[in-house]
Amino acid sequence: MSCAEKKSENPFFEEWNTPNGTAPFDKIKNEHYMPAFERGIKNHQAEIDAIVNNQEEPTFANTIEAMDAAGKDLSKVSSVFYNLKSANSNNVIDSLSKVLSPLLSAHNDGINMNEKLFTRVKKIYDKRIKDIDQKNDEIKLTGEQKKLLEDYYIGFVSGGAELNETDKTKLKGLNKELGLLALQFGENVLKDNNSFELVLEEKDLAGLPEGVRAAASDLAKSRGKEGKFVFTLNKPSLLPFLTYSKNRELREKMFKGYTNRGNNGGETDNNKILAQIASIRVKKANLLGYKTWADYKLANRMAKKPDNVYELLLKLWKPAIARAKAEVKDMQKIIRKEGGKFRLEPWDWWHYAEKVKKEKYALDEEMIRPYFVIDNVRDGAFWLAGQLYGIKFKERKDIQVYHEEVKAFEVMENNGSHIGILYVDYHPRPVKRGGAWMNSYRKQYKVNGKNVTPIITNVCNFSRPAGDKPALLSADEVETLFHEFGHALHGLLSNCTYITLSGTSVPRDFVELPSQVMENWCFEPEVLKQYAKHYKTGEIIPEELVKKINKAGHFNQGFANVEYLAASLLDMDYHTITDAKEVNAKEFEEASMKKYGLIKEIVPRYRSTYFNHIFSSSDGYSSGYYSYIWAAVLDADAYQAFVESGNLFDKETAKKFRDFVISRGGTEDAMEMYKKFRGKKPTVDALLKKRGLN
């Protein structure tokens, strides 16, 4: 077979004549990735070289627009490869990612540190600055174009374009190290997560509800352990066990299995790796002229500097820790009432918190779970989007998916015009990383005024069907589904010209606003009526139960806020280190938490050795885990706009939110976009009230 014939068989080398240009997953094989990456890198470099070697005077069109349009072949293979690496990986993909990491790092560094390319960008940028100084508009750019130019300029500077050659070489080496270490960190967490299993007998299941037992029995059968019950560290298995198991010793074993991931010694230990990552980040920040990694990362976010992040976190920490201490007292009373002679420990929290909820609110998780059938909840989120934004969803079985559990939906305006495609992938698998996220296979952008529509994915790890029951979600899982769907809407409803600015390409501490705001609706009575239907009878959730859910809205908020804030503070502490000397991760975490007065009954939501958000990518949420609470201030204030309108589905308010926030991507300053929607800056008051911390 000739080389040309082999090339033609690679789907990445062809136009995808599929519905809406979706990936032909059935044709993509492991062996297609490397040739596609090699060609993508080569073609992208050729496009960059053409821009650099253009003899014409640099203009926005021949330089900035040309860069934004470049690299489509590389994006095509990258989007499929890295989405599948997270959601449906295999040994070949995992191995290949380690080969690709230094190649892509070198390619990106070659562009970011290309002196001739930066010179062209700087000439245009300097003209723009001159226009501002002289209060004229000689180069005549739209608002979106001005933002794109500014972002490219800042990107080059933060990528090392102004460094001398010696320092550029140092930076390239640091970037290469960071990429490989981050990959290893994430793989170690996944390996430790998958290697743990608790195999139990019937006698060990005291307290566990029928559905939890059935799920553990099904898992045991799938693993060749007929007659046994298997529990894993995936949240749909872990949390019900910690909540209901009466066996305190087994609860401790499960909890420690989860919180010791990456901390078990041997090949999967992450202590040294994370210390190296933190150290290299200090070196990189210093090289680029910043005191700390946090100063470097926050410069172009809403928070601007570390002090502003600490100020917000500590403002919430004080009332949250006070509430958490009160929650400990409530649980300790129950322990004493039951004759227990022990002090509450972290592995006891879920178990006794559930008892407090039952005692105070006559409510427990198993009362409401039968009403949260996963497909109904998803359809409830779709219904809400329709009420707010006038859009609809249609399942498309003619669109290829990468796993039998994945479903594809076409998203349309009410008039039937196409918006985009949404994949949903809801259940855990050993080859899927933990957590929940949104990503894109193709971002929205425009070419010569013609819209290229987005292809978006939601990936989660929700409870599976068990026994004869469909997949029934917990209240937390319901919130997560609405949250990730909010991210999906941010990608789907994008209406931008340039791919670099479209969709979720916004500051990290703004990106959680469109997602978190959706959580405000999920337990509203009118929304619950749409999706909360009993899996057996189809009965809509009783009004009395809805009242109990809403009455218990502030329940356990001390714990929820403290474990989150503790992780956020830990992230900031790692990234405000000024000394590049490697830390002892265990000692550093202990000292950090002691400084803030974290109580022994709670551990940070993510301990250092499995803190994937900040250590499993070379950037990710490092110095950015606070973003959820920063955006929570925004989302509570934004929801208040609907409350103030007198209609939680007010079309005018929703249109303003779509027009000024969701559809605009990163085309304007984030706070300016928010103020256009709300008419003012947000305050923390609505959040404190919402969480019962005022």
Side-chain angles (χ1 to χ4, degrees):
M1 183 180 290
S2 71
C3 187
E5 286 173 323
K6 283 184 180 178
K7 275 190 175 183
S8 69
E9 291 179 1
N10 191 322
F12 291 111
F13 297 166
E14 301 167 358
E15 185 89 23
W16 288 346
N17 295 314
T18 53
N20 303 107
T22 48
F25 292 109
D26 59 332
K27 294 180 180 177
I28 296 171
K29 311 297 180 192
N30 288 332
E31 60 265 26
H32 294 144
Y33 290 119
M34 196 62 193
F37 271 107
E38 289 171 342
R39 192 178 87 151
I41 290 171
K42 181 182 176 183
N43 289 351
H44 190 204
Q45 189 59 57
E47 291 167 327
I48 295 299
D49 290 343
I51 297 168
V52 170
N53 296 324
N54 189 336
Q55 298 302 306
E56 296 176 6
E57 183 70 14
T59 65
F60 184 85
N62 71 21
T63 302
I64 306 301
E65 278 187 335
M67 280 195 293
D68 186 74
K72 295 293 192 299
D73 289 340
L74 185 54
S75 295
K76 187 175 183 179
V77 62
S78 294
S79 66
V80 173
F81 181 84
Y82 286 105
N83 271 307
L84 293 189
K85 170 147 178 50
S86 296
N88 201 46
S89 194
N90 57 52
N91 291 335
V92 175
I93 288 176
D94 287 344
S95 297
L96 189 53
S97 67
K98 292 175 184 174
V99 176
L100 287 168
S101 178
L103 286 178
L104 292 170
S105 178
H107 174 62
N108 291 328
D109 284 341
I111 295 171
N112 290 333
M113 300 182 208
N114 186 314
E115 192 173 336
K116 290 182 179 178
L117 183 60
F118 178 58
T119 298
R120 292 184 70 89
V121 173
K122 191 172 186 308
K123 278 187 179 179
I124 305 163
Y125 182 77
D126 288 346
K127 281 184 184 177
R128 167 73 189 135
I129 296 301
K130 186 179 176 183
D131 276 0
I132 294 171
D133 290 342
Q134 297 181 356
K135 297 182 179 178
N136 61 34
D137 196 7
E138 188 181 325
I139 58 174
K140 293 182 172 54
L141 302 178
T142 66
E144 186 174 350
Q145 289 172 334
K146 290 170 185 174
K147 186 65 165 55
L148 184 65
L149 171 58
E150 180 184 325
D151 282 5
Y152 265 115
Y153 177 79
I154 291 170
F156 271 101
V157 173
S158 62
E162 293 185 316
L163 297 178
N164 61 44
E165 288 307 313
T166 300
D167 286 344
K168 282 180 180 178
T169 301
K170 286 181 187 175
L171 184 57
K172 288 174 184 177
L174 296 177
N175 287 340
K176 182 179 177 181
E177 284 185 82
L178 278 176
L180 289 169
L181 287 168
L183 270 176
Q184 192 61 55
F185 184 97
E187 287 184 14
N188 288 347
V189 175
L190 186 60
K191 284 176 184 175
D192 272 6
N193 195 81
N194 289 342
S195 66
F196 180 98
E197 65 174 11
L198 195 62
V199 183
L200 302 180
E201 308 281 346
E202 179 81 39
K203 62 182 176 60
D204 302 314
L205 306 182
L208 296 176
E210 178 195 341
V212 177
R213 294 177 181 220
S217 174
D218 287 351
L219 185 57
K221 288 174 189 171
S222 72
R223 296 189 176 196
K225 295 178 172 68
E226 192 82 29
K228 305 286 186 183
F229 299 84
V230 171
F231 293 86
T232 70
L233 300 181
N234 293 321
K235 290 288 182 72
S237 181
L238 172 76
L239 293 184
F241 191 89
L242 292 177
T243 301
Y244 296 109
S245 174
K246 291 183 177 181
N247 189 318
R248 189 166 184 250
E249 188 178 316
L250 291 177
R251 291 203 308 270
E252 180 180 0
K253 190 172 183 180
M254 282 285 282
F255 181 82
K256 288 184 174 177
Y258 182 79
T259 57
N260 280 325
R261 291 176 300 164
N263 190 35
N264 295 304
E267 291 182 357
T268 61
D269 195 272
N270 273 335
N271 283 280
K272 176 72 173 173
I273 290 173
L274 75 89
Q276 290 175 302
I277 291 172
S279 170
I280 292 169
R281 285 174 174 166
V282 176
K283 293 174 186 175
K284 179 174 175 178
N286 292 167
L287 199 59
L288 292 166
Y290 294 90
K291 184 180 178 183
T292 70
W293 181 257
D295 286 293
Y296 168 61
K297 295 308 298 178
L298 295 174
N300 299 306
R301 292 181 185 165
M302 294 182 78
K304 302 302 181 189
K305 55 185 181 179
D307 285 352
N308 293 334
V309 175
Y310 278 116
E311 182 183 359
L312 175 62
L313 296 178
L314 294 174
K315 186 183 289 186
L316 294 165
W317 179 263
K318 189 174 179 180
I321 201 77
R323 174 63 63 85
K325 288 175 179 176
E327 290 166 358
V328 170
K329 288 179 182 177
D330 287 342
M331 289 183 277
Q332 201 65 54
K333 282 179 190 174
I334 290 180
I335 291 171
R336 284 198 297 271
K337 192 191 298 183
E338 293 179 348
K341 304 294 184 185
F342 57 89
R343 182 176 167 180
L344 186 83
E345 295 286 352
W347 49 88
D348 298 316
W349 193 290
W350 284 266
H351 187 70
Y352 287 98
E354 189 69 10
K355 291 189 175 190
V356 170
K357 185 162 70 172
K358 201 165 186 177
E359 187 178 89
K360 282 192 171 185
Y361 304 103
L363 181 71
D364 69 44
E365 195 69 60
E366 291 307 301
M367 292 169 66
I368 58 177
R369 193 184 279 268
Y371 293 94
F372 294 154
V373 180
I374 191 167
D375 286 353
N376 292 347
V377 178
R378 179 203 66 214
D379 290 345
F382 289 175
W383 175 87
L384 175 59
Q387 294 300 300
L388 295 173
Y389 306 119
I391 61 177
K392 57 187 180 180
F393 299 77
K394 177 186 177 184
E395 186 171 0
R396 291 284 301 270
K397 295 188 177 180
D398 59 327
I399 290 177
Q400 278 287 327
V401 293
Y402 55 86
H403 189 277
E404 61 186 9
E405 292 177 338
V406 180
K407 293 184 178 180
F409 293 86
E410 182 178 6
V411 188
M412 296 169 281
E413 300 286 1
N414 267 342
N415 64 11
S417 61
H418 178 78
I419 293 174
I421 299 296
L422 172 66
Y423 297 110
V424 297
D425 178 1
Y426 285 148
H427 299 301
R429 295 185 289 273
V431 291
K432 180 194 283 190
R433 70 175 170 87
W437 63 93
M438 164 268 185
N439 212 333
S440 60
Y441 282 88
R442 183 177 70 207
K443 292 176 67 182
Q444 177 273 332
Y445 61 99
K446 294 173 185 174
V447 180
N448 299 322
K450 183 182 177 184
N451 195 42
V452 177
T453 57
I455 301 171
I456 303 299
T457 182
N458 270 167
V459 186
C460 305
N461 283 275
F462 294 146
S463 302
R464 286 186 165 281
D468 60 352
K469 294 180 180 178
L472 302 174
L473 302 187
S474 68
D476 281 349
E477 288 175 324
V478 170
E479 285 191 332
T480 300
L481 190 150
F482 273 73
H483 176 106
E484 297 305 332
F485 179 61
H487 279 308
L489 290 176
H490 199 183
L492 287 163
L493 300 182
S494 175
N495 184 23
C496 305
T497 300
Y498 301 106
I499 196 167
T500 303
L501 300 176
S502 72
T504 56
S505 298
V506 299
R508 183 69 78 186
D509 45 13
F510 190 71
V511 77
E512 297 299 333
L513 167 59
S515 55
Q516 288 178 190
V517 76
M518 293 295 285
E519 296 176 37
N520 288 278
W521 278 278
C522 63
F523 296 131
E524 288 289 352
E526 194 169 342
V527 181
L528 280 168
K529 286 175 186 174
Q530 301 301 319
Y531 73 82
K533 300 170 185 177
H534 198 282
Y535 77 96
K536 278 186 177 176
T537 65
E539 173 202 9
I540 293 173
I541 192 168
E543 194 173 327
E544 182 185 350
L545 201 47
V546 174
K547 286 179 181 176
K548 286 182 180 180
I549 292 170
N550 287 301
K551 189 179 177 184
H554 292 160
F555 169 72
N556 211 34
Q557 280 297 303
F559 171 82
N561 282 281
V562 165
E563 67 151 9
Y564 164 76
L565 292 168
S568 299
L569 289 163
L570 182 60
D571 168 32
M572 290 303 297
D573 284 358
Y574 270 117
H575 294 116
T576 48
I577 294 172
T578 55
D579 187 349
K581 182 181 176 184
E582 289 178 19
V583 300
N584 178 301
K586 182 176 183 293
E587 292 174 1
F588 186 90
E589 182 179 312
E590 287 176 355
S592 173
M593 294 301 96
K594 184 178 181 182
K595 176 173 61 177
Y596 301 113
L598 178 65
I599 56 177
K600 67 179 278 302
E601 295 86 357
I602 299 177
V603 301
R605 182 177 295 176
Y606 297 103
R607 296 189 63 204
S608 303
T609 57
Y610 57 91
F611 205 159
N612 271 332
H613 280 76
I614 67 171
F615 289 127
S616 71
S617 78
S618 54
D619 183 353
Y621 272 75
S622 61
S623 306
Y625 194 62
Y626 77 90
S627 299
Y628 293 93
I629 203 74
W630 189 278
V633 173
L634 298 172
D635 92 65
D637 186 75
Y639 190 65
Q640 192 61 29
F642 287 89
V643 174
E644 290 166 6
S645 77
N647 177 6
L648 294 182
F649 311 100
D650 183 60
K651 294 282 195 295
E652 187 179 338
T653 307
K655 186 178 186 304
K656 285 174 68 178
F657 193 71
R658 178 175 178 174
D659 289 348
F660 295 128
V661 177
I662 296 184
S663 71
R664 299 306 300 137
T667 58
E668 295 181 61
D669 174 80
M671 185 56 76
E672 291 306 310
M673 287 195 292
Y674 187 80
K675 287 194 295 184
K676 284 182 180 178
F677 157 66
R678 191 71 168 102
K680 63 182 181 66
K681 282 187 174 183
T683 67
V684 75
D685 300 346
L687 176 66
L688 291 172
K689 182 179 179 183
K690 175 183 172 182
R691 299 195 175 188
L693 298 177
N694 53 354

